[in-house]
Amino acid sequence: MAVIPPSGRVMALDWGTSRIGVAISDETQLVATPLVTVRRRTGRRLPLRDLLDVIDRESPVGLVVGLPLDDNGLEGPAAIAARDMGGSVSARRPLPVEWIDESFTTADTLRTLRETGTGASLGVDASAAATMLQHWLNGRR
Protein backbone atom coordinates (compact mmCIF):
# COMPACT_ATOMS: atom_id res chain seq x y z
CA MET A 1 0.00 0.00 0.00
CA ALA A 2 1.46 3.34 -1.07
CA VAL A 3 1.67 6.21 1.40
CA ILE A 4 0.63 9.76 0.58
CA PRO A 5 3.82 11.85 0.21
CA PRO A 6 4.46 14.57 2.83
CA SER A 7 4.33 17.37 0.26
CA GLY A 8 2.12 18.11 -2.71
CA ARG A 9 -1.61 18.68 -2.92
CA VAL A 10 -3.93 16.10 -1.39
CA MET A 11 -7.52 15.69 -2.53
CA ALA A 12 -10.42 14.60 -0.32
CA LEU A 13 -13.62 12.91 -1.43
CA ASP A 14 -16.67 13.05 0.83
CA TRP A 15 -19.12 10.42 -0.43
CA GLY A 16 -22.84 11.04 -0.38
CA THR A 17 -25.86 9.41 -1.94
CA SER A 18 -26.66 12.45 -4.06
CA ARG A 19 -23.44 14.51 -4.01
CA ILE A 20 -19.70 13.96 -3.59
CA GLY A 21 -17.82 16.81 -1.96
CA VAL A 22 -14.27 17.44 -3.17
CA ALA A 23 -11.59 19.47 -1.40
CA ILE A 24 -7.89 20.05 -2.02
CA SER A 25 -4.94 21.01 0.15
CA ASP A 26 -2.16 23.44 -0.63
CA GLU A 27 1.28 22.11 -1.69
CA THR A 28 2.58 22.23 1.89
CA GLN A 29 -0.42 20.26 3.18
CA LEU A 30 -1.33 22.86 5.77
CA VAL A 31 -4.71 24.17 4.58
CA ALA A 32 -7.72 22.43 3.04
CA THR A 33 -10.00 24.32 0.67
CA PRO A 34 -13.42 23.31 -0.72
CA LEU A 35 -13.11 22.66 -4.43
CA VAL A 36 -16.27 21.36 -6.07
CA THR A 37 -19.38 19.26 -5.53
CA VAL A 38 -19.96 16.46 -8.01
CA ARG A 39 -23.63 15.58 -8.38
CA ARG A 40 -24.86 12.01 -8.49
CA ARG A 41 -28.06 11.08 -10.26
CA THR A 42 -30.37 8.67 -8.48
CA GLY A 43 -30.16 5.19 -9.92
CA ARG A 44 -27.12 6.03 -12.02
CA ARG A 45 -23.55 4.88 -11.77
CA LEU A 46 -20.88 6.76 -9.89
CA PRO A 47 -19.92 9.93 -11.84
CA LEU A 48 -16.40 8.54 -12.23
CA ARG A 49 -15.55 10.58 -15.34
CA ASP A 50 -16.32 13.82 -13.45
CA LEU A 51 -14.14 12.76 -10.51
CA LEU A 52 -11.28 11.71 -12.79
CA ASP A 53 -11.51 15.05 -14.65
CA VAL A 54 -11.09 16.91 -11.33
CA ILE A 55 -8.13 14.70 -10.40
CA ASP A 56 -6.50 15.25 -13.79
CA ARG A 57 -6.98 19.01 -13.50
CA GLU A 58 -5.71 19.33 -9.91
CA SER A 59 -2.90 16.69 -9.99
CA PRO A 60 -3.02 15.58 -6.35
CA VAL A 61 -0.31 13.34 -4.87
CA GLY A 62 -2.89 11.32 -2.93
CA LEU A 63 -6.53 10.92 -1.98
CA VAL A 64 -8.25 10.95 1.38
CA VAL A 65 -11.65 9.28 1.21
CA GLY A 66 -14.19 9.72 3.97
CA LEU A 67 -15.93 6.70 5.43
CA PRO A 68 -19.38 7.45 6.86
CA LEU A 69 -19.31 5.07 9.83
CA ASP A 70 -22.46 4.21 11.74
CA ASP A 71 -23.19 5.19 15.36
CA ASN A 72 -21.18 2.19 16.58
CA GLY A 73 -18.15 3.12 14.47
CA LEU A 74 -18.80 0.26 12.05
CA GLU A 75 -18.82 0.28 8.27
CA GLY A 76 -22.33 -0.03 6.90
CA PRO A 77 -23.62 0.30 3.33
CA ALA A 78 -22.56 3.97 3.01
CA ALA A 79 -18.97 3.23 4.06
CA ILE A 80 -18.84 0.26 1.70
CA ALA A 81 -20.04 2.51 -1.13
CA ALA A 82 -17.36 5.09 -0.21
CA ARG A 83 -14.69 2.35 -0.29
CA ASP A 84 -15.98 1.22 -3.69
CA MET A 85 -15.73 4.82 -4.94
CA GLY A 86 -12.16 5.20 -3.63
CA GLY A 87 -11.22 1.85 -5.14
CA SER A 88 -12.72 2.77 -8.52
CA VAL A 89 -10.83 6.06 -8.59
CA SER A 90 -7.50 4.55 -7.48
CA ALA A 91 -7.86 1.75 -10.04
CA ARG A 92 -7.87 4.40 -12.77
CA ARG A 93 -5.37 6.85 -11.31
CA PRO A 94 -2.28 5.49 -9.51
CA LEU A 95 -2.69 7.55 -6.35
CA PRO A 96 -2.22 6.40 -2.76
CA VAL A 97 -5.51 6.42 -0.86
CA GLU A 98 -6.06 6.86 2.86
CA TRP A 99 -9.40 6.37 4.60
CA ILE A 100 -10.76 8.58 7.37
CA ASP A 101 -13.86 8.50 9.52
CA GLU A 102 -15.96 11.37 8.21
CA SER A 103 -18.84 10.95 10.62
CA PHE A 104 -20.40 14.26 11.58
CA THR A 105 -18.28 16.38 9.19
CA THR A 106 -21.39 17.66 7.41
CA ALA A 107 -23.07 18.52 10.72
CA ASP A 108 -19.87 20.23 11.95
CA THR A 109 -19.61 22.15 8.68
CA LEU A 110 -23.23 23.32 8.83
CA ARG A 111 -22.76 24.49 12.43
CA THR A 112 -19.58 26.40 11.51
CA LEU A 113 -21.25 28.04 8.51
CA ARG A 114 -24.17 29.12 10.72
CA GLU A 115 -21.90 30.39 13.52
CA THR A 116 -19.65 32.36 11.20
CA GLY A 117 -22.47 33.65 9.02
CA THR A 118 -20.64 32.59 5.89
CA GLY A 119 -22.33 31.01 2.93
CA ALA A 120 -21.22 27.79 1.35
CA SER A 121 -20.66 29.12 -2.16
CA LEU A 122 -19.16 25.79 -3.25
CA GLY A 123 -21.79 23.81 -1.38
CA VAL A 124 -21.95 22.15 1.98
CA ASP A 125 -20.54 18.92 0.55
CA ALA A 126 -17.30 20.52 -0.69
CA SER A 127 -17.02 22.38 2.60
CA ALA A 128 -17.54 19.11 4.51
CA ALA A 129 -14.79 17.51 2.38
CA ALA A 130 -12.51 20.42 3.36
CA THR A 131 -13.37 19.94 7.05
CA MET A 132 -12.55 16.24 6.76
CA LEU A 133 -9.32 16.93 4.89
CA GLN A 134 -8.28 19.56 7.44
CA HIS A 135 -8.74 17.00 10.24
CA TRP A 136 -6.56 14.57 8.29
CA LEU A 137 -3.89 17.24 7.65
CA ASN A 138 -3.87 18.28 11.32
CA GLY A 139 -3.54 14.68 12.44
CA ARG A 140 -0.65 14.13 10.09
CA ARG A 141 1.51 16.89 11.59
Side-chain angles (χ1 to χ4, degrees):
M1 179 172 107
V3 176
I4 295 176
S7 64
R9 292 162 39 117
V10 177
M11 184 174 285
L13 302 176
D14 182 23
W15 185 88
T17 56
S18 59
R19 293 174 303 278
I20 299 166
V22 183
I24 193 89
S25 77
D26 63 322
E27 292 281 338
T28 62
Q29 298 182 5
L30 292 175
V31 178
T33 304
L35 188 60
V36 68
T37 298
V38 176
R39 297 218 179 270
R40 299 189 61 208
R41 293 190 302 184
T42 305
R44 301 288 183 154
R45 287 190 215 178
L46 178 71
L48 195 54
R49 171 61 18 222
D50 295 338
L51 293 172
L52 296 175
D53 287 347
V54 174
I55 290 168
D56 292 344
R57 184 175 65 242
E58 299 296 329
S59 302
V61 297
L63 295 174
V64 173
V65 178
L67 296 177
L69 303 180
D70 67 17
D71 292 340
N72 297 317
L74 301 174
E75 292 187 23
I80 292 167
R83 279 197 186 275
D84 288 345
M85 173 189 65
S88 293
V89 170
S90 67
R92 288 161 182 81
R93 297 298 181 269
L95 294 170
V97 177
E98 291 193 26
W99 311 94
I100 184 173
D101 176 6
E102 60 95 345
S103 302
F104 310 112
T105 54
T106 300
D108 290 346
T109 299
L110 286 169
R111 186 180 64 251
T112 300
L113 292 172
R114 266 193 314 274
E115 289 172 357
T116 61
T118 59
S121 61
L122 292 172
V124 171
D125 301 287
S127 295
T131 298
M132 179 184 71
L133 180 56
Q134 192 64 56
H135 286 298
W136 182 86
L137 293 169
N138 293 345
R140 192 158 195 210
R141 282 185 244 157

